[in-house]
Amino acid sequence: MVIEVAPMPGERIPGWETVPEALRKREQWVCWRAADTDDSVDGISLTPIDPATGERATFDDETTWSGFEDAYATATASDLDVDGLAFYPTRDDPFTAVELTACRDPETGDLDDWAQTVIETLDSYTEVTSDGQSIRILVAGRPPSWTFGAIDICDAEFYIPITGEWLSSTPATITERTTELRGVYKAWKGAADPSEAAATLSAVDIQEFGGLPSEPGVDVDLSDTTVIERAQYGPAGDVFRRLWTGSSVGYASQTEADVAFCSQLAYWTGGDGEQMEQLVRQSDRHRARWVRLVSEDTLYDERTIEQALELVDDYHDPQSEPGRL
């Protein structure tokens, strides 16, 4: 399959309009400089560069980042001898990058079948990487965890070189794809190769396969901050606080404590599985085990949330609070 890509103003610097607006309005941009190396597959290493100073930029120092306009001006003026632009996602924004490695013929634009399946599953802004052989998909949504290999998923602490070589068959905008992202993650973690992962994605209902368990009771509709505050000082607040800080005291195992914690979250969120997952990530209960596969198609977080929902049949009702009419 041949897919046309948008033209670029320079060899590696993206055209202004081809960069999604959701990224352009963030102050999370750096430039990058390429150098030959023996330590990478393609023989090239990229160094992130502060657009204002020309010094090295880092993910943990936001003072080394700039807005898109300033980074673009630096890259196109070439005063600092830089080769391209890159974006730093953070824990506070929704952006995740999914890179499909060595899946494209740079001469014809033909894509491997497995890559086409992942692209269609995520259905968000997609571009060709600077080497012409790989594909990068940008989505809004938090992945269960990072992956590395043929399907490379990262959401923070890594800069993302942006080429602007948009695949015109995909959306021009970055779309919310949390469920689909979880599906790709589960398929890839349980597969020996990308073709096997693609076969899994082609054979499932992605909404069911990638979705979190949910048992909506009362429409609570509270923010994460409000849920935490109310749970900390609610009837079982002392237990909640211990569980929130990662303690398993009083429980036979960490698994039992995880289920107890999610049971409390279920009560306060009205059984909203996605919000329960988000809250666990903010707590000290979140660890590598939380997203390991426990069966062919189930992650530990899904099983734990499902077990908690089976235990809860009563939910917090904000309308019943004292002082409400």
Side-chain angles (χ1 to χ4, degrees):
M1 179 178 181
V2 178
I3 301 179
E4 296 181 358
V5 299
M8 297 174 62
E11 183 179 0
R12 291 169 170 169
I13 299 169
W16 185 289
E17 293 300 326
T18 62
V19 178
E21 183 181 3
L23 299 185
R24 280 189 276 130
K25 66 183 183 181
R26 299 271 180 164
E27 302 283 321
Q28 296 165 220
W29 286 90
V30 297
C31 298
W32 57 261
R33 184 178 297 136
D36 295 333
T37 181
D38 295 328
D39 299 331
S40 64
V41 175
D42 57 8
I44 298 175
S45 68
L46 306 184
T47 300
I49 300 296
D50 181 340
T53 67
E55 302 298 322
R56 186 182 181 95
T58 61
F59 77 88
D60 57 353
D61 185 358
E62 296 183 11
T63 66
T64 63
W65 310 348
S66 294
F68 179 76
E69 185 174 352
D70 289 340
Y72 188 85
T74 295
T76 52
S78 298
D79 291 341
L80 297 181
D81 186 28
V82 297
D83 300 300
L85 298 175
F87 181 84
Y88 264 117
T90 71
R91 300 295 182 196
D92 296 325
D93 67 48
F95 305 116
T96 293
V98 180
E99 189 158 319
L100 313 181
T101 305
C103 64
R104 179 180 182 271
D105 185 322
E107 300 297 326
T108 65
D110 289 345
L111 295 169
D112 291 345
D113 290 343
W114 68 266
Q116 187 64 42
T117 298
V118 177
I119 291 169
E120 292 173 357
T121 297
L122 293 177
D123 192 28
S124 187
Y125 172 84
T126 302
E127 64 176 26
V128 179
T129 61
S130 57
D131 65 5
Q133 301 178 57
S134 300
I135 292 295
R136 180 179 300 110
I137 309 166
L138 297 176
V139 302
R142 190 71 66 206
S145 189
W146 300 333
T147 65
F148 301 95
I151 301 176
D152 190 357
I153 301 174
C154 64
D155 66 338
E157 300 182 13
F158 297 90
Y159 62 90
I160 304 171
I162 302 296
T163 67
E165 290 195 56
W166 169 56
L167 296 190
S168 59
S169 61
T170 68
T173 57
I174 299 174
T175 50
E176 209 293 322
R177 292 288 183 262
T178 295
T179 296
E180 293 80 1
L181 190 59
R182 285 182 62 87
V184 171
Y185 175 87
K186 287 171 64 177
W188 175 234
K189 292 297 287 185
D193 59 61
S195 295
E196 185 180 341
T200 296
L201 293 173
S202 299
V204 299
D205 177 341
I206 195 66
Q207 294 301 311
E208 181 176 342
F209 181 66
L212 283 158
S214 189
E215 191 67 38
V218 176
D219 185 14
V220 175
D221 194 26
L222 298 177
S223 68
D224 289 358
T225 301
T226 303
V227 168
I228 295 167
E229 289 176 350
R230 294 188 182 181
Q232 283 181 327
Y233 300 104
D238 56 339
V239 176
F240 180 87
R241 289 191 293 271
R242 287 200 302 271
L243 292 169
W244 178 269
T245 57
S247 173
S248 299
V249 172
Y251 297 92
S253 65
Q254 278 196 327
T255 297
E256 187 177 302
D258 289 340
V259 173
F261 183 56
C262 285
S263 296
Q264 288 215 27
L265 295 179
Y267 170 80
W268 289 103
T269 64
D272 185 334
E274 288 193 9
Q275 188 174 22
M276 292 165 65
E277 163 74 10
Q278 292 170 7
L279 287 162
V280 172
R281 285 176 174 273
Q282 298 172 48
S283 77
D284 291 335
R285 301 217 70 79
H286 188 246
R287 56 199 187 281
R289 174 188 177 90
W290 184 246
V291 291
R292 70 178 177 85
L293 284 168
V294 292
S295 70
E296 185 176 296
D297 59 0
T298 303
L299 295 172
Y300 179 81
D301 64 345
E302 296 167 344
R303 187 183 70 180
T304 304
I305 290 173
E306 185 172 23
Q307 290 173 337
L309 292 172
E310 291 173 353
L311 296 173
V312 178
D313 57 9
D314 180 38
Y315 302 98
H316 173 60
D317 182 358
Q319 298 304 317
S320 66
E321 294 174 3
R324 289 187 177 272
L325 299 178

